[in-house]
Amino acid sequence: MSADLGTGPVSNALTADNISVVFGGLVAVNDVSFTIPDQSIVSLIGPNGAGKTTFFNVLTGLYTPTSGDVRFGDRDITGQPPHKIASWGMARTFQNIRLFGLMTAEENVMVAMHSHMRAGIFSTVFGLPKQRREEKEAREVAVDLLDFVGINHTRGEYARNLSYGDQRRLEVARALALKPRVLLLDEPTAGMNPQESARFVEFVHRVRTEKKLAVLLIEHDMSVVMRVSERITVLDRGEKIAEGGPADIKSNQRVIEAYLGKSGAEASEV
């Protein structure tokens, strides 16, 4: 079931206002505003060098914007460190998979739960009951999440030995361990074949519905973007050039020109 974006007021899980990022003399992002409604699926697209990853990194705290601000719900998170933003409920995956290769799948998920664990270092060092209880609960949650993403059979295997598709799903399981309100996916279908990408689209919808969270994707595969997104924002050379539903974006002349180049877009109309 899709989030109801058409009737009544919709609260925003994430809001970015007038974000600009300047590196030296290079304007990577120029005055971009952007919202993610609660429990929606939104995609951020654009040609290479459009500023997508820079903008993503601002949202997650890796970069501090030169100007503008970011709000997570009602909380101003501009310039806050990534670990703090993650503890408040924003989780992400990366274009280049970043798993702990010599940890098992189960251990990779358990590591992400550290911010929600309350046992102090004394309890951990001496193995006190509170620590043992938390570890048992964390292991149970890890097993549940691995089952949710469909790879529970890999729980005892080293992450580096998993197939590419299973590593992608493990990254999502680890992100979900943070109990996020917003899940950010950076090129989640990169390297997948068409059948795997189609299954991933169904998976994203299930994650949103069952975990009751919002999803933001950076994605190059336009067939995935058009099937998974309720709204799409398009960047080109650091500026927002279009925003709307899949049908609007597909027919937008500025978007066509950004991807094909003006001469290519004109040739496609001949």
Side-chain angles (χ1 to χ4, degrees), residues 1-13 36-42 204-210 212-215 228-231:
M1 181 184 298
S2 297
D4 185 357
L5 303 181
T7 59
V10 177
S11 61
N12 290 324
I36 305 176
D38 274 330
Q39 297 184 45
S40 63
I41 301 177
V42 177
V204 169
H205 280 285
R206 185 165 70 90
V207 168
R208 184 273 300 277
T209 301
E210 296 189 24
K212 294 181 170 53
L213 48 73
V215 180
V228 79
S229 310
E230 292 162 343
R231 196 178 75 211

Side-chain angles (χ1 to χ4, degrees), residues 3-247:
D4 185 357
L5 303 181
T7 59
V10 177
S11 61
N12 290 324
L14 189 66
T15 305
D17 287 326
N18 307 113
I19 298 296
S20 292
V21 181
V22 180
F23 300 113
L26 173 67
V27 180
V29 176
N30 186 19
D31 197 31
V32 173
S33 295
F34 178 83
T35 60
I36 305 176
D38 274 330
Q39 297 184 45
S40 63
I41 301 177
V42 177
S43 288
L44 183 65
I45 68 171
N48 290 333
K52 304 183 299 296
T53 299
T54 299
F55 189 73
F56 221 56
N57 287 338
V58 168
L59 299 182
T60 56
L62 286 173
Y63 295 162
T64 298
T66 306
S67 60
D69 60 82
V70 182
R71 294 190 306 281
F72 188 36
D74 295 328
R75 187 195 301 265
D76 186 343
I77 62 170
T78 313
Q80 293 290 336
H83 71 275
K84 188 160 287 198
I85 293 174
S87 72
W88 290 329
M90 191 188 305
R92 73 171 292 179
T93 65
F94 291 85
Q95 181 177 355
N96 299 315
I97 294 174
R98 299 187 183 183
L99 296 170
F100 297 104
L102 291 177
M103 285 186 177
T104 66
E106 183 179 83
E107 289 166 344
N108 266 273
V109 179
M110 290 178 67
V111 165
M113 285 182 248
H114 173 75
S115 62
H116 296 291
M117 297 175 77
R118 295 291 175 260
I121 189 168
F122 184 84
S123 296
T124 301
V125 170
F126 291 98
L128 297 183
K130 182 178 181 180
Q131 187 274 335
R132 293 199 301 271
R133 184 169 60 252
E134 280 198 338
E135 183 173 351
K136 179 176 181 293
E137 291 170 355
R139 196 172 299 278
E140 290 171 352
V141 171
V143 170
D144 287 344
L145 287 173
L146 290 172
D147 187 56
F148 178 77
V149 302
I151 59 169
N152 195 26
H153 61 285
T154 70
R155 57 184 288 195
E157 296 183 33
Y158 287 137
R160 71 178 185 181
N161 294 336
L162 303 185
S163 69
Y164 183 83
D166 285 351
Q167 287 184 357
R168 282 287 181 195
R169 287 179 179 261
L170 176 55
E171 269 208 317
V172 174
R174 188 173 63 179
L176 292 175
L178 291 169
K179 302 177 183 176
R181 182 182 176 189
V182 177
L183 175 64
L184 294 86
L185 304 175
D186 192 351
E187 299 283 358
T189 67
M192 292 186 182
N193 62 42
Q195 293 74 27
E196 290 172 328
S197 294
R199 287 195 295 270
F200 198 84
V201 168
E202 296 175 1
F203 173 65
V204 169
H205 280 285
R206 185 165 70 90
V207 168
R208 184 273 300 277
T209 301
E210 296 189 24
K211 298 300 181 181
K212 294 181 170 53
L213 48 73
V215 180
L216 170 63
L217 301 93
I218 290 179
E219 181 56 62
H220 273 109
D221 187 332
M222 288 300 102
S223 66
V224 169
V225 169
M226 295 301 166
R227 282 180 291 161
V228 79
S229 310
E230 292 162 343
R231 196 178 75 211
I232 302 167
T233 297
V234 187
L235 298 184
D236 184 32
R237 300 177 186 176
E239 297 186 353
K240 182 166 72 173
I241 63 169
E243 190 168 60

